[in-house]
């Protein structure tokens, strides 16, 4: 089946399957050098198969100087030696296929490494044939001082333009300076991308791509200044200018027509700064023939200001519910498709962000999130360690333990700003850095990148290297690991295994059913229905009730609905609240349900007054 799909959702492998993301550096060290690798991944394929995983997504393993953990690629057709070789990758592909699983890679084609041969040629001379493969612009001069072409700020801080002394021009980089942006306006550039980054690996047998920053390829080539949203900064983030640009959909249609449609593959795009569902649908509509699905950030970006993720604010449950409802409409109110996820390599751990990291509630909180995700329509994506309930690193960790370039750049900016405003004031500097660490401890990307916790041995079984791995293991690895949870009834791992199995058994309802949100304004509980669609093979209806608090909370059956037997819950019968209509702390339940004739099917309840209103709450 090609990437262009019809309107049906039945028996499509990338819709009904469960995807599992692997961050290779932190997953499993197979050769004992302290760095995760392909051999380590191959060793665990049976574990993933047993969990119920259908497709693994492996984050970048390509040849790279590792300025941004492999998202700065110097050769699309080579594997970085720290991970293995192309031959190892071929064994991994075969290992997945031999087990009836599939595999997708990351496709990173907004930019390359500055060590890629394309860029080396591009910067060698203004007259080089690859000069126009990247964005080069002359400087501006203000009062005789050389300045960048515009005021754009890179995602990781500083100007988005880097001066090149050799050719006396700036080049664009929306991320770190070592990641120059490719110029998709150039026809030759696009053809080279298709051949080297896409076809090369599809011909090796992979089953598709997660497409990095999929809406950044088309920029306004006059490069206007961005709006001043941060008066304290010389440079401004301008996603309204560089996201969803004028030729974006043209480029993706061409990629599909020329390459993707020739293979039985899938694509899932990373789609930042696109909050409007109508705009999202332009990418994932079956008619559009661009992408199969995308990652929206309505939920995972909650509590994080776009200008600076490290200054988080409290997440309100109604906002989470509203984000979920928006995403769910893609599966039932259009010819598009959605993803269901709460974690990836760019997000802190979901149990720490959306529930509680307290050990006393760990199992309930982690399984509550499993109930939520497993019953959402769309394709389910898990991130390594999520099936164990892995948590953020403790607040006690020093800044030096964090390895991500974004985190370290943020600490450097805080340090420089404090020293500039209060020279020689060590007390002020210390306070500024402590405040910065408070934010880092909550939302840094590093929390997703601590090594996978396999067992209670030194370094959590991630590596046998005496000195440990490239990054410190979370301090709680002896309490939270695969070995401790595998085969243990009631553990987070076994609960996830059961929910994945139930999700597939109830696919017509859980995966493809219509989502109906109730009590959207409730600050402590989440209640929603899932109605199977007969035209998609769905039979039955369920009601999901979840308590997102540490106290006992009441709940009620929505108007026009009737509940039957309890299908699944995360609290055993002996521990369950005896009082009818009451949920214990972090408790969740899924009931078989019935929509009474003429009521409820397309209605939700807004607020807590019990009156049905049209549409989603």
């Amino acid at each position: 089946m090609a990437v262009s799909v019809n309107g049906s959702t039945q028996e499509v492998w990338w819709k009904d399957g469960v995807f599992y993301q692997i961050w290779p550096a932190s997953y499993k060290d197979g050769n004992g050098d302290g760095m995760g690798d392909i051999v380590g991944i191959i060793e665990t394929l049976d574990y993933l198969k047993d969990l119920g995983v259908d497709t693994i997504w492996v984050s970048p393993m390509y040849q790279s100087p590792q300025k941004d953990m492999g998202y700065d690629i110097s050769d699309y057709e080579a594997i970085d030696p720290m991970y293995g070789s192309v031959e190892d990758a071929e064994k991994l592909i075969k290992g997945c296929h031999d087990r009836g699983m599939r595999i997708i890679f990351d496709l990173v084609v907004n930019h390359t490494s500055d060590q890629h041969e394309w860029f080396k040629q591009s910067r060698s001379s203004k007259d080089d044939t690859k000069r126009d493969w990247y964005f080069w612009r002359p400087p501006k001069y203000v009062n005789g001082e050389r300045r960048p072409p515009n005021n754009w700020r890179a995602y990781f801080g500083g100007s988005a333009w880097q001066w090149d002394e050799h050719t006396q021009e700036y080049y664009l980089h929306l991320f770190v300076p070592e990641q120059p942006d490719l110029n998709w306006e150039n026809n030759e550039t696009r053809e080279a991308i298709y051949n080297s980054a896409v076809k090369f690996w599809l011909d090796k047998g992979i089953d598709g791509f997660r497409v990095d920053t999929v809406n950044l390829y088309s920029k306004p080539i006059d490069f206007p200044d961005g709006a001043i949203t941060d008066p304290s900064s010389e440079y401004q983030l301008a996603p309204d200018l560089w996201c969803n640009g004028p030729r974006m959909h043209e480029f993706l249609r061409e990629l599909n027509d020329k390459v993707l449609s020739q293979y039985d593959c899938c694509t899932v795009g990373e789609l930042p700064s696109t909050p409007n569902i109508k705009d999202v649908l332009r990418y994932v509509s079956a008619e559009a023939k661009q992408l199969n699905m995308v990652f929206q950030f309505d939920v995972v970006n909650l509590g994080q200001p776009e200008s600076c993720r490290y200054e988080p604010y409290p997440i309100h449950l109604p906002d989470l519910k509203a984000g979920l409802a928006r995403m769910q409409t893609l599966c039932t109110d259009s010819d598009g498709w959605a993803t269901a996820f709460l974690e990836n390599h760019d997000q802190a751990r979901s149990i720490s962000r959306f529930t509680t990291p307290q050990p006393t509630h760990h199992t309930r909180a982690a399984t509550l999130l499993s109930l939520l995700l497993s019953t959402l329509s769309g394709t389910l994506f898990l991130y390594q360690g999520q099936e164990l309930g892995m948590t953020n690193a403790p607040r006690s960790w020093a800044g030096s333990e964090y390895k991500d370039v974004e985190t370290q750049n943020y600490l450097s900016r805080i340090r420089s700003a404090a020293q500039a405003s209060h020279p020689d004031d060590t007390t002020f500097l210390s306070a500024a850095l402590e405040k910065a660490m408070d934010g880092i401890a909550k939302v840094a990307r590093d929390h997703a990148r601590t090594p996978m916790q396999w067992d209670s041995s030194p370094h959590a079984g991630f590596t046998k290297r005496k000195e440990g791995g490239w990054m410190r293991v979370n301090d709680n690895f002896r309490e939270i690991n695969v070995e401790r949870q595998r085969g243990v009834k009631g553990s987070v791992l076994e609960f996830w295994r059961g929910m994945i199995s139930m999700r597939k058994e109830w696919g017509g309802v859980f995966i493809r059913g219509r989502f109906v949100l109730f009590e959207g304004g409730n600050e402590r509980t989440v209640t929603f229905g899932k109605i199977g669609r007969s035209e998609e093979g769905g039979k039955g209806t369920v009601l999901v009730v979840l308590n997102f608090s540490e106290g006992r909370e009441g709940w009620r059956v929505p108007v026009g609905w009737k509940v039957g037997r309890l299908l699944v819950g995360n609290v055993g019968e002996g521990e369950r609240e005896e009082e009818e209509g009451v949920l214990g702390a972090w408790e969740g339940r899924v009931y078989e349900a019935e929509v009474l004739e003429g009521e409820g099917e397309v209605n939700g309840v807004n607020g807590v007054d019990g009156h049905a209103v049209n549409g989603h709450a």
Side-chain angles (χ1 to χ4, degrees), residues 144-214:
E145 182 181 356
R146 187 187 73 222
R147 308 299 301 158
N150 66 18
N151 70 346
W152 289 4
R153 186 177 105 194
Y155 279 110
F156 297 159
S159 173
W161 297 91
Q162 180 72 13
W163 177 249
D164 179 64
E165 189 67 30
H166 176 63
T167 58
Q168 295 289 292
E169 284 190 329
Y170 285 92
Y171 65 83
L172 178 70
H173 63 90
L174 292 183
F175 295 89
V176 297
E178 294 85 359
Q179 290 171 299
D181 279 40
L182 285 158
N183 179 11
W184 276 67
E185 300 287 330
N186 186 301
N187 296 336
E188 291 183 2
T189 307
R190 297 200 304 278
E191 290 297 327
I193 290 169
Y194 301 160
N195 289 323
S196 184
V198 185
K199 290 185 66 176
F200 179 85
W201 288 105
L202 289 174
D203 287 342
K204 293 285 184 186
I206 70 166
D207 301 287
F209 295 97
R210 174 266 186 183
V211 190
D212 187 60
T213 59
V214 74

Side-chain angles (χ1 to χ4, degrees), residues 332-345:
T332 54
D333 297 342
S334 74
D335 66 343
W337 194 245
T339 53
F341 75 104
L342 286 177
E343 292 191 18
N344 61 35
H345 61 288

Side-chain angles (χ1 to χ4, degrees), residues 424-543:
D424 304 319
D425 188 340
T426 56
T427 301
F428 182 86
L429 174 61
S430 178
L433 289 174
E434 281 299 300
K435 182 180 178 182
M437 287 304 303
D438 286 341
I440 287 170
K442 292 177 180 176
V443 298
R445 302 194 302 179
D446 303 78
H447 297 299
R449 304 177 183 190
T450 58
M452 178 72 175
Q453 296 165 203
W454 293 101
D455 56 42
S456 300
S457 67
H459 317 302
F462 162 69
T463 181
K464 291 183 171 63
R465 183 171 177 259
K466 183 178 180 181
E467 299 84 356
W470 71 279
M471 188 177 184
R472 179 176 172 179
V473 176
N474 196 315
D475 297 359
N476 62 15
F477 73 90
R478 290 183 178 84
E479 291 74 44
I480 302 173
N481 62 65
V482 172
E483 183 180 64
R484 182 162 181 165
Q485 294 187 18
R486 182 155 41 190
V488 177
K489 184 178 180 180
S491 69
V492 180
L493 176 60
E494 293 305 321
F495 191 87
W496 260 113
R497 193 192 319 277
M499 287 308 303
I500 289 173
S501 176
M502 179 176 283
R503 177 177 173 85
K504 293 175 181 179
E505 179 185 352
W506 283 73
V509 180
F510 287 8
I511 300 174
R512 299 182 294 277
R514 179 176 293 278
F515 177 92
V516 186
L517 177 66
F518 299 100
E519 298 194 2
N522 192 306
E523 295 276 358
R524 294 181 178 274
T525 62
V526 175
T527 303
F528 61 88
K530 293 298 295 296
I531 303 169
R533 294 189 292 161
S534 58
E535 71 272 19
E536 297 294 352
K539 295 181 180 180
T541 299
V542 300
L543 185 71

Side-chain angles (χ1 to χ4, degrees), residues 20 108 171 175 236 284 366 396 407-408 420 496 513 536 595 603 613:
Y20 185 99
V108 186
Y171 65 83
F175 295 89
Q236 306 295 315
V284 299
S396 58
T407 307
Q408 290 302 322
W496 260 113
E536 297 294 352
V595 180
N603 294 326
V613 297

Side-chain angles (χ1 to χ4, degrees), residues 1-302:
M1 204 203 80
V3 75
S4 51
V5 301
N6 58 33
S8 174
T9 65
Q10 291 190 67
E11 299 180 0
V12 179
W13 66 265
W14 49 265
K15 289 185 175 182
D16 290 351
V18 174
F19 285 62
Y20 185 99
Q21 183 189 357
I22 290 174
W23 183 252
S26 300
Y27 184 66
K28 190 77 165 67
D29 174 14
N31 63 8
D33 65 355
M35 180 67 65
D37 49 40
I38 297 175
V39 171
I41 298 173
I42 294 173
E43 289 175 355
T44 69
L45 289 179
D46 289 334
Y47 162 77
L48 297 174
K49 178 69 174 178
D50 186 55
L51 179 60
V53 171
D54 299 287
T55 301
I56 65 169
W57 151 28
V58 187
S59 293
M61 303 185 294
Y62 310 105
Q63 185 171 295
S64 166
Q66 303 296 324
K67 298 298 182 181
D68 183 23
M69 290 302 296
Y71 282 90
D72 51 316
I73 297 168
S74 56
D75 187 346
Y76 289 108
E77 300 174 26
I79 296 294
D80 196 283
M82 64 191 264
Y83 296 125
S85 64
V86 171
E87 290 73 23
D88 290 328
E90 291 171 338
K91 291 177 183 177
L92 174 59
I93 295 167
K94 184 177 185 299
C96 288
H97 292 167
D98 286 349
R99 291 166 174 82
M101 300 165 65
R102 297 178 187 258
I103 180 171
I104 66 172
F105 281 6
D106 241 277
L107 180 62
V108 186
V109 288
N110 174 70
H111 46 263
T112 67
S113 164
D114 64 350
Q115 297 305 302
H116 197 292
E117 285 301 319
W118 297 347
F119 187 72
K120 287 182 178 180
Q121 290 181 240
S122 182
R123 78 186 313 175
S124 67
S125 166
K126 290 182 180 180
D127 299 322
D128 189 86
T129 56
K130 287 186 172 58
R131 182 66 171 184
D132 195 42
W133 284 35
Y134 297 83
F135 292 105
W136 293 92
R137 293 294 184 271
K140 293 193 305 186
Y141 285 91
V142 179
N143 298 324
E145 182 181 356
R146 187 187 73 222
R147 308 299 301 158
N150 66 18
N151 70 346
W152 289 4
R153 186 177 105 194
Y155 279 110
F156 297 159
S159 173
W161 297 91
Q162 180 72 13
W163 177 249
D164 179 64
E165 189 67 30
H166 176 63
T167 58
Q168 295 289 292
E169 284 190 329
Y170 285 92
Y171 65 83
L172 178 70
H173 63 90
L174 292 183
F175 295 89
V176 297
E178 294 85 359
Q179 290 171 299
D181 279 40
L182 285 158
N183 179 11
W184 276 67
E185 300 287 330
N186 186 301
N187 296 336
E188 291 183 2
T189 307
R190 297 200 304 278
E191 290 297 327
I193 290 169
Y194 301 160
N195 289 323
S196 184
V198 185
K199 290 185 66 176
F200 179 85
W201 288 105
L202 289 174
D203 287 342
K204 293 285 184 186
I206 70 166
D207 301 287
F209 295 97
R210 174 266 186 183
V211 190
D212 187 60
T213 59
V214 74
N215 58 344
L216 267 60
Y217 308 159
S218 174
K219 283 90 171 175
I221 57 176
D222 57 341
F223 293 104
D225 277 347
I228 307 298
T229 56
D230 181 5
S232 66
S233 175
E234 180 181 1
Y235 304 110
Q236 306 295 315
L237 284 173
D240 58 313
L241 294 176
W242 63 56
C243 288
N244 308 311
R247 299 185 66 190
M248 195 62 253
H249 298 287
E250 174 192 341
F251 292 154
L252 290 179
R253 279 193 297 271
E254 179 183 85
L255 172 59
N256 181 69
D257 291 345
K258 288 190 173 183
V259 184
L260 297 173
S261 62
Q262 311 305 312
Y263 297 83
D264 177 18
C265 67
C266 83
T267 51
V268 52
E270 179 190 29
L271 196 70
S273 303
T274 313
N276 190 303
I277 288 295
K278 290 183 178 179
D279 293 332
V280 175
L281 191 58
R282 294 185 66 192
Y283 288 92
V284 299
S285 163
E287 184 180 1
K289 295 181 173 61
Q290 295 179 36
L291 300 168
N292 292 124
M293 48 190 167
V294 295
F295 293 120
Q296 294 167 257
F297 298 91
D298 299 52
V299 172
V300 295
N301 279 353
L302 288 172

